[in-house]
Amino acid sequence: MNTQELKPRAPAAALPPRPRNLFPVWAAAALAALWLIVWDLEISFETLVWGVEDMGEYFSRYGQPDFSDLSRYLELMGVTLATALWGTAFALVVAFFLAPLAARNFTPGAVSYRIAREVLNFMRAMPDLLLALIFVAALGLGPLPGALALGVHTAGFLGKFFAESLERIDQGVYEGVAATGANFPQRVMYAGWPSILREALGYTLYILDRNVRMASVLGLVGAGGIGLALHDTLRLFDYGQSAALILVILATILIIDYASAWLRRRLG
């Protein structure tokens, strides 16, 4: 008989302890946070219930869209799209030059890095609507103030996205180009942008998608396009034309959203 078969087997390792059920704890914390929000904001559920009927009556006024002037609506939507497109182009140009300066591995020095970072922070901190009001006061009504407002604000976001992408590129690629004696512009053009091109295109499409939505809103403060027409019809209580304008905006945003998603999948 084989002596190895007579040896006692080693005891099986103990099973790990059963994980604790923390769901009641998290549920209690969420309810406590919800109660704190309701208490701090002094939300009255009774007032909200009464307001549902008023909101239903108000939205019922938009039940008969008036598409009698559809060609003008589409023309105004085209102006809004052009505003978003040129705003995105402006942001892309600014971010193209500022992002390498705001990336730690590409910037020529600490001073240029800090200046570029603070400029991008300032652009992101300035809201679109505030910039649009400033540019409308300076340049007058029209799509130009809207394009500049969108461009300045979103340049801060694009610059930050690009800079962080440049900081994540493979160090070997950067060192290989730098070892050839390449200067700052050459390192950026041969090691930086080719490494993040697909990611940068994805970010740019996202900003364009976002700017189309905001361009419609900026029209409400005089930045031209379909938003300005919507503001005028709302002020005149012309709910039929307002409903038609809103539907045109929604349809355009949906088309652009699906097109952007398709392009992102192609890039990915």
Side-chain angles (χ1 to χ4, degrees):
M1 184 178 294
N2 191 351
T3 56
Q4 294 181 352
E5 296 179 357
L6 300 177
K7 292 182 179 180
R9 295 182 179 180
L15 295 175
R18 183 179 181 182
R20 296 179 179 179
N21 184 14
L22 297 179
F23 176 77
V25 178
W26 291 113
L31 290 175
L34 180 61
W35 176 85
L36 182 61
I37 293 172
V38 172
W39 174 78
D40 186 60
L41 297 179
E42 299 180 356
I43 298 176
S44 172
F45 290 100
E46 184 179 3
T47 304
L48 288 176
V49 171
W50 289 346
V52 169
E53 183 178 355
D54 294 335
M55 288 186 291
E57 188 277 330
Y58 177 76
F59 285 119
S60 65
R61 303 175 188 177
Y62 296 88
Q64 296 180 344
D66 180 9
F67 289 101
S68 59
D69 203 3
L70 181 59
S71 60
R72 186 175 72 90
Y73 302 160
L74 295 177
E75 181 180 355
L76 292 172
M77 193 68 235
V79 173
T80 298
L81 290 174
T83 301
L85 180 62
W86 287 116
T88 305
F90 178 86
L92 181 60
V93 171
V94 173
F96 178 83
F97 288 103
L98 286 183
L101 298 174
R104 293 183 184 274
N105 53 342
F106 281 94
T107 187
V111 176
S112 60
Y113 170 81
R114 182 50 53 194
I115 292 175
R117 281 281 177 173
E118 295 306 324
V119 169
L120 294 176
N121 290 337
F122 174 77
M123 289 178 173
R124 288 198 310 276
M126 295 295 289
D128 306 72
L129 288 173
L130 177 59
L131 289 171
L133 288 172
I134 294 173
F135 287 128
V136 165
L139 304 174
L141 301 176
L144 177 60
L148 291 177
L150 292 172
V152 171
H153 181 66
T154 54
F157 286 97
L158 267 185
K160 179 179 174 61
F161 295 156
F162 291 169
E164 293 179 350
S165 298
L166 288 171
E167 291 178 346
R168 292 194 300 267
I169 69 171
D170 184 69
Q171 190 66 19
V173 176
Y174 173 80
E175 292 176 353
V177 175
T180 63
N183 55 23
F184 170 70
Q186 290 171 332
R187 292 196 301 270
V188 172
M189 295 305 299
Y190 289 100
W193 292 119
S195 301
I196 67 165
L197 181 59
R198 182 173 297 178
E199 193 173 356
L201 288 174
Y203 284 135
T204 304
L205 286 175
Y206 168 76
I207 292 297
L208 176 61
D209 188 15
R210 182 255 181 204
N211 280 349
V212 171
R213 292 168 167 81
M214 282 306 302
S216 302
V217 177
L218 295 184
L220 298 175
V221 295
I226 199 168
L228 182 59
L230 179 61
H231 175 265
D232 292 338
T233 56
L234 289 174
R235 189 175 56 181
L236 297 174
F237 305 105
D238 190 344
Y239 297 107
Q241 288 196 18
S242 298
L245 290 169
I246 292 172
L247 290 175
V248 170
I249 294 172
L250 289 177
T252 305
I253 289 175
L254 285 175
I255 293 172
I256 292 176
D257 186 61
Y258 284 117
S260 299
W262 179 79
L263 285 173
R264 289 192 188 99
R265 287 195 300 270
R266 296 283 294 179
L267 292 174

